[in-house]
Amino acid sequence: MKTVTVVGASLSGLYAARELRAQGFDGRLVVVGDEPHRPYDRPPLSKDFLTGRSGEDRLALSDAEETTELDAEWLLGVRARGLDARGRTVLLGDGRTVSTDGVIIATGASARRLPGCELAGVHTLRTLDDARALRAELGAGTRRVVVIGGGFIGAETASSCAGLGHDVTVVEAAPLPLVPQLGPEMAAVCAGLHRRGGVDLVTGTGVAGLRGTVAVTGVELADGRLLPADIVIVGIGAIPNTDWLAGSTLALHDGVLCDDGCVTALPQVVAVGDVARVGGTRAEHWTSATEQPRVAVRNLLAGHTAETVRPLPYFWSDQYGARIQFAGRRLDTDTVRIAEGGVTDGTPDEGGFLALYERDGRTTAVLSVDRPRPFMRARRELGRGVTVAEAAVS
């Protein structure tokens, strides 16, 4: 290959560019990004950046030295609008085309929106520009904040808003937040963190609509209640950015369909990160975005699937001064056992806890709240396919 184009100046896109050079590709490297910014770290947007504890200079994922070493052409502030049928030409929104021998799709995902999101005071939090706008508005005195969605982004943003002194309510349509990830028993425990942080949690009802003419004034719930609001933050998930691939020969279904090696139906096209459905799973987590590019690049340069990737699922979330960590593959039929620490009145103790998910006498997943060291030991055991013993977590 003489030219490889990375579409998406994202975390996974940067890691893919790094891997190309690390694995010996010395040809032309083009990176296309729809935002005007160089790749930046997104997890702090809902935490330290939003609260003002860190500035934009702390978000950069690379420095000038690495930029020089990568020797890439950065086409920023321009959106990809198409990929030709053979995957050899990337069409750009400004009319330019990039002829290429290989393509790495790393376009990520966009925040889902609700009708009424055009009202002043309504925000999503996915990009640096989103975070800039929300941070500016949160600095204008105490506000009534309603967060729609109790997932990771919603919970982290609610935690930050509460830490800034705002009056915060979280609305979650499901009976509990994070049930798909943690199961009902542990989801109920982690929901206690909202109470501990002084945030009202409304569950089991959806949103009927946003109220207001020019600016938002409230959130109407499906059960008829009206929550007054000065600021509304919509955190109801994300949609993979695949619109630009319509008309290509790639298979699309909630992401770009890939085999276990991140390779699409075209061997010269691979996909990584939030946009990629690898082996039937699309994982919107930092670890997937950083682990998939190594295998994807190897297979791209080989011209076929020479290696597959199936890392142990892992994610973390910082909420209300606590760190939640989870690793493994749980089923609804798994039993859960507190192996360390404790829970009081449905809320994690101040020292946190470590819980093991078990099935047929073996550990399938591990959950930690503020128990990082035993969690990392248990995660290593899981990664090796070994049953987590008591000695590993005590």
Side-chain angles (χ1 to χ4, degrees):
M1 291 186 174
K2 294 182 179 180
T3 300
V4 173
T5 301
V6 179
V7 185
S10 56
L11 173 69
S12 58
L14 176 62
Y15 270 70
R18 289 172 176 171
E19 284 294 338
L20 281 164
R21 295 309 190 202
Q23 296 187 33
F25 176 72
D26 59 2
R28 181 189 180 208
L29 171 56
V30 182
V31 182
V32 179
D34 63 344
E35 295 185 60
H37 319 292
R38 291 290 178 99
Y40 57 86
D41 201 17
R42 294 182 190 271
L45 295 181
S46 59
K47 298 182 278 288
D48 286 351
F49 180 79
L50 193 61
T51 59
R53 288 194 296 266
S54 67
E56 292 185 23
D57 58 315
R58 302 287 297 275
L59 300 176
L61 290 171
S62 60
D63 55 22
E65 181 180 355
E66 183 183 37
T67 299
T68 300
E69 291 175 353
L70 284 177
D71 188 25
E73 297 177 35
W74 295 86
L75 306 181
L76 300 177
V78 59
R79 188 181 299 271
R81 66 174 179 85
L83 180 69
D84 76 337
R86 296 179 300 113
R88 302 290 189 182
T89 302
V90 177
L91 312 177
L92 304 182
D94 61 6
R96 286 180 290 173
T97 60
V98 180
S99 297
T100 188
D101 302 301
V103 175
I104 301 175
I105 299 171
T107 45
S110 297
R112 292 182 184 275
R113 300 174 67 83
L114 288 174
C117 276
E118 69 280 356
L119 292 171
V122 180
H123 298 263
T124 57
L125 185 55
R126 186 80 187 182
T127 69
L128 174 56
D129 291 339
D130 291 340
R132 284 172 172 169
L134 180 56
R135 187 167 83 163
E137 195 160 353
L138 289 171
T142 302
R143 317 298 294 276
R144 297 169 299 178
V145 179
V146 175
V147 179
I148 301 173
F152 295 116
I153 292 296
E156 291 173 0
T157 306
S159 170
S160 295
C161 292
L164 291 170
H166 298 290
D167 180 9
V168 184
T169 300
V170 174
V171 178
E172 170 59 52
L176 285 168
L178 303 179
V179 168
Q181 294 86 357
L182 307 181
E185 185 176 352
M186 290 297 100
V189 172
C190 289
L193 293 173
H194 290 285
R195 293 191 296 272
R196 196 166 83 184
V199 169
D200 291 332
L201 178 61
V202 178
T203 62
T205 184
V207 171
L210 304 181
R211 293 292 169 260
T213 51
V214 176
V216 69
T217 58
V219 177
E220 183 179 348
L221 303 183
D223 62 10
R225 282 180 287 175
L226 180 65
L227 303 178
D230 305 304
I231 297 175
V232 173
I233 301 161
V234 180
I236 55 174
I239 303 171
N241 293 323
T242 59
D243 288 352
W244 68 282
L245 294 167
S248 72
T249 57
L250 299 183
L252 307 174
H253 180 67
D254 187 37
V256 179
L257 299 190
C258 306
D259 65 13
D260 288 337
C262 303
V263 179
T264 71
L266 298 173
Q268 69 273 21
V269 180
V270 297
V272 292
D274 291 359
V275 74
R277 179 166 287 276
V278 179
T281 301
R282 190 173 68 85
E284 294 181 16
H285 298 302
W286 193 90
T287 46
S288 299
T290 57
E291 292 175 353
Q292 291 171 355
R294 182 188 63 81
V295 172
V297 166
R298 181 184 177 191
N299 293 334
L300 177 69
L301 297 178
H304 65 278
T305 303
E307 184 178 349
T308 60
V309 57
R310 195 171 186 264
L312 186 74
Y314 166 66
F315 61 80
W316 80 91
S317 179
D318 295 320
Q319 305 172 19
Y320 307 104
R323 167 154 286 197
I324 300 172
Q325 294 173 286
F326 180 92
R329 298 180 177 88
R330 60 163 289 274
L331 296 178
D332 290 341
T333 53
D334 292 351
T335 58
V336 185
R337 177 169 59 90
I338 303 293
E340 189 172 316
V343 176
T344 302
D345 296 329
T347 303
D349 291 347
E350 287 298 328
F353 69 89
L354 185 89
L356 302 179
Y357 294 75
E358 298 173 330
R359 185 189 320 146
D360 299 328
R362 63 186 181 88
T363 303
T364 59
V366 58
L367 168 68
S368 162
V369 174
D370 289 336
R371 294 287 174 120
R373 290 186 177 180
F375 173 83
M376 293 308 295
R377 289 194 291 269
R379 182 188 174 193
R380 283 195 297 269
E381 296 288 327
L382 281 173
R384 298 206 309 265
V386 178
T387 298
V388 179
E390 289 293 336
V393 298
S394 64

